[in-house]
PDB file of all heavy atoms in Angstrom:
ATOM      1  N   PRO A   3      11.831  14.763 -23.907  1.00  0.00           N
ATOM      2  CA  PRO A   3      11.642  15.472 -22.635  1.00  0.00           C
ATOM      3  C   PRO A   3      10.517  16.502 -22.779  1.00  0.00           C
ATOM      4  O   PRO A   3      10.153  16.896 -23.888  1.00  0.00           O
ATOM      5  CB  PRO A   3      12.990  16.152 -22.391  1.00  0.00           C
ATOM      6  CG  PRO A   3      13.777  16.008 -23.633  1.00  0.00           C
ATOM      7  CD  PRO A   3      13.115  15.009 -24.517  1.00  0.00           C
ATOM      8  N   LEU A   4       9.988  16.943 -21.658  1.00  0.00           N
ATOM      9  CA  LEU A   4       8.929  17.945 -21.690  1.00  0.00           C
ATOM     10  C   LEU A   4       9.481  19.282 -22.177  1.00  0.00           C
ATOM     11  O   LEU A   4      10.569  19.688 -21.780  1.00  0.00           O
ATOM     12  CB  LEU A   4       8.328  18.152 -20.301  1.00  0.00           C
ATOM     13  CG  LEU A   4       7.673  16.961 -19.620  1.00  0.00           C
ATOM     14  CD1 LEU A   4       7.046  17.400 -18.299  1.00  0.00           C
ATOM     15  CD2 LEU A   4       6.650  16.297 -20.500  1.00  0.00           C
ATOM     16  N   SER A   5       8.728  19.944 -23.018  1.00  0.00           N
ATOM     17  CA  SER A   5       9.064  21.310 -23.411  1.00  0.00           C
ATOM     18  C   SER A   5       8.752  22.226 -22.222  1.00  0.00           C
ATOM     19  O   SER A   5       8.110  21.808 -21.240  1.00  0.00           O
ATOM     20  CB  SER A   5       8.239  21.739 -24.620  1.00  0.00           C
ATOM     21  OG  SER A   5       6.872  21.870 -24.251  1.00  0.00           O
ATOM     22  N   GLU A   6       9.164  23.477 -22.318  1.00  0.00           N
ATOM     23  CA  GLU A   6       8.840  24.422 -21.246  1.00  0.00           C
ATOM     24  C   GLU A   6       7.333  24.543 -21.069  1.00  0.00           C
ATOM     25  O   GLU A   6       6.830  24.586 -19.950  1.00  0.00           O
ATOM     26  CB  GLU A   6       9.447  25.799 -21.544  1.00  0.00           C
ATOM     27  CG  GLU A   6      10.909  25.901 -21.227  1.00  0.00           C
ATOM     28  CD  GLU A   6      11.424  27.328 -21.377  1.00  0.00           C
ATOM     29  OE1 GLU A   6      10.728  28.276 -20.951  1.00  0.00           O
ATOM     30  OE2 GLU A   6      12.518  27.489 -21.925  1.00  0.00           O
ATOM     31  N   ALA A   7       6.607  24.607 -22.172  1.00  0.00           N
ATOM     32  CA  ALA A   7       5.144  24.736 -22.107  1.00  0.00           C
ATOM     33  C   ALA A   7       4.518  23.503 -21.470  1.00  0.00           C
ATOM     34  O   ALA A   7       3.574  23.616 -20.667  1.00  0.00           O
ATOM     35  CB  ALA A   7       4.571  24.966 -23.502  1.00  0.00           C
ATOM     36  N   GLU A   8       5.019  22.314 -21.798  1.00  0.00           N
ATOM     37  CA  GLU A   8       4.490  21.078 -21.214  1.00  0.00           C
ATOM     38  C   GLU A   8       4.803  20.994 -19.724  1.00  0.00           C
ATOM     39  O   GLU A   8       3.955  20.585 -18.923  1.00  0.00           O
ATOM     40  CB  GLU A   8       5.043  19.871 -21.963  1.00  0.00           C
ATOM     41  CG  GLU A   8       4.500  19.771 -23.373  1.00  0.00           C
ATOM     42  CD  GLU A   8       5.356  18.942 -24.312  1.00  0.00           C
ATOM     43  OE1 GLU A   8       6.552  18.678 -23.994  1.00  0.00           O
ATOM     44  OE2 GLU A   8       4.824  18.568 -25.372  1.00  0.00           O
ATOM     45  N   ALA A   9       6.011  21.394 -19.354  1.00  0.00           N
ATOM     46  CA  ALA A   9       6.385  21.398 -17.942  1.00  0.00           C
ATOM     47  C   ALA A   9       5.507  22.392 -17.174  1.00  0.00           C
ATOM     48  O   ALA A   9       5.067  22.105 -16.045  1.00  0.00           O
ATOM     49  CB  ALA A   9       7.858  21.739 -17.774  1.00  0.00           C
ATOM     50  N   GLN A  10       5.222  23.541 -17.783  1.00  0.00           N
ATOM     51  CA  GLN A  10       4.352  24.527 -17.140  1.00  0.00           C
ATOM     52  C   GLN A  10       2.932  23.984 -17.003  1.00  0.00           C
ATOM     53  O   GLN A  10       2.290  24.183 -15.985  1.00  0.00           O
ATOM     54  CB  GLN A  10       4.338  25.840 -17.920  1.00  0.00           C
ATOM     55  CG  GLN A  10       3.503  26.927 -17.257  1.00  0.00           C
ATOM     56  CD  GLN A  10       3.971  27.251 -15.853  1.00  0.00           C
ATOM     57  OE1 GLN A  10       5.136  27.594 -15.646  1.00  0.00           O
ATOM     58  NE2 GLN A  10       3.086  27.130 -14.859  1.00  0.00           N
ATOM     59  N   TRP A  11       2.459  23.267 -18.020  1.00  0.00           N
ATOM     60  CA  TRP A  11       1.136  22.666 -17.950  1.00  0.00           C
ATOM     61  C   TRP A  11       1.071  21.694 -16.771  1.00  0.00           C
ATOM     62  O   TRP A  11       0.076  21.680 -16.036  1.00  0.00           O
ATOM     63  CB  TRP A  11       0.784  21.955 -19.261  1.00  0.00           C
ATOM     64  CG  TRP A  11      -0.594  21.395 -19.290  1.00  0.00           C
ATOM     65  CD1 TRP A  11      -1.748  22.045 -19.627  1.00  0.00           C
ATOM     66  CD2 TRP A  11      -0.969  20.056 -18.936  1.00  0.00           C
ATOM     67  NE1 TRP A  11      -2.810  21.180 -19.503  1.00  0.00           N
ATOM     68  CE2 TRP A  11      -2.370  19.967 -19.083  1.00  0.00           C
ATOM     69  CE3 TRP A  11      -0.269  18.938 -18.525  1.00  0.00           C
ATOM     70  CZ2 TRP A  11      -3.078  18.786 -18.829  1.00  0.00           C
ATOM     71  CZ3 TRP A  11      -0.968  17.764 -18.257  1.00  0.00           C
ATOM     72  CH2 TRP A  11      -2.359  17.706 -18.417  1.00  0.00           C
ATOM     73  N   CYS A  12       2.121  20.911 -16.583  1.00  0.00           N
ATOM     74  CA  CYS A  12       2.164  19.986 -15.441  1.00  0.00           C
ATOM     75  C   CYS A  12       2.104  20.757 -14.120  1.00  0.00           C
ATOM     76  O   CYS A  12       1.381  20.368 -13.199  1.00  0.00           O
ATOM     77  CB  CYS A  12       3.413  19.114 -15.490  1.00  0.00           C
ATOM     78  SG  CYS A  12       3.363  17.833 -16.749  1.00  0.00           S
ATOM     79  N   GLN A  13       2.855  21.841 -14.029  1.00  0.00           N
ATOM     80  CA  GLN A  13       2.817  22.664 -12.814  1.00  0.00           C
ATOM     81  C   GLN A  13       1.420  23.238 -12.591  1.00  0.00           C
ATOM     82  O   GLN A  13       0.932  23.301 -11.457  1.00  0.00           O
ATOM     83  CB  GLN A  13       3.866  23.785 -12.888  1.00  0.00           C
ATOM     84  CG  GLN A  13       5.293  23.295 -12.811  1.00  0.00           C
ATOM     85  CD  GLN A  13       5.550  22.478 -11.551  1.00  0.00           C
ATOM     86  OE1 GLN A  13       5.219  22.893 -10.436  1.00  0.00           O
ATOM     87  NE2 GLN A  13       6.134  21.302 -11.709  1.00  0.00           N
ATOM     88  N   ASP A  14       0.787  23.654 -13.679  1.00  0.00           N
ATOM     89  CA  ASP A  14      -0.584  24.171 -13.577  1.00  0.00           C
ATOM     90  C   ASP A  14      -1.534  23.090 -13.064  1.00  0.00           C
ATOM     91  O   ASP A  14      -2.421  23.367 -12.250  1.00  0.00           O
ATOM     92  CB  ASP A  14      -1.070  24.691 -14.927  1.00  0.00           C
ATOM     93  CG  ASP A  14      -0.321  25.920 -15.412  1.00  0.00           C
ATOM     94  OD1 ASP A  14       0.409  26.562 -14.605  1.00  0.00           O
ATOM     95  OD2 ASP A  14      -0.439  26.240 -16.619  1.00  0.00           O
ATOM     96  N   GLN A  15      -1.356  21.857 -13.536  1.00  0.00           N
ATOM     97  CA  GLN A  15      -2.214  20.753 -13.083  1.00  0.00           C
ATOM     98  C   GLN A  15      -1.984  20.458 -11.608  1.00  0.00           C
ATOM     99  O   GLN A  15      -2.940  20.134 -10.879  1.00  0.00           O
ATOM    100  CB  GLN A  15      -1.992  19.498 -13.938  1.00  0.00           C
ATOM    101  CG  GLN A  15      -2.373  19.659 -15.384  1.00  0.00           C
ATOM    102  CD  GLN A  15      -3.721  20.311 -15.569  1.00  0.00           C
ATOM    103  OE1 GLN A  15      -4.735  19.835 -15.055  1.00  0.00           O
ATOM    104  NE2 GLN A  15      -3.760  21.413 -16.303  1.00  0.00           N
ATOM    105  N   LEU A  16      -0.739  20.562 -11.148  1.00  0.00           N
ATOM    106  CA  LEU A  16      -0.460  20.368  -9.724  1.00  0.00           C
ATOM    107  C   LEU A  16      -1.149  21.449  -8.897  1.00  0.00           C
ATOM    108  O   LEU A  16      -1.675  21.172  -7.808  1.00  0.00           O
ATOM    109  CB  LEU A  16       1.045  20.365  -9.462  1.00  0.00           C
ATOM    110  CG  LEU A  16       1.798  19.135  -9.961  1.00  0.00           C
ATOM    111  CD1 LEU A  16       3.301  19.329  -9.780  1.00  0.00           C
ATOM    112  CD2 LEU A  16       1.326  17.876  -9.254  1.00  0.00           C
TER     113      LEU A  16
END
Side-chain angles (χ1 to χ4, degrees):
L4 299 184
S5 68
E6 281 187 42
E8 291 159 343
Q10 183 58 56
W11 184 85
C12 287
Q13 291 304 310
D14 293 346
Q15 296 313 304
L16 289 174

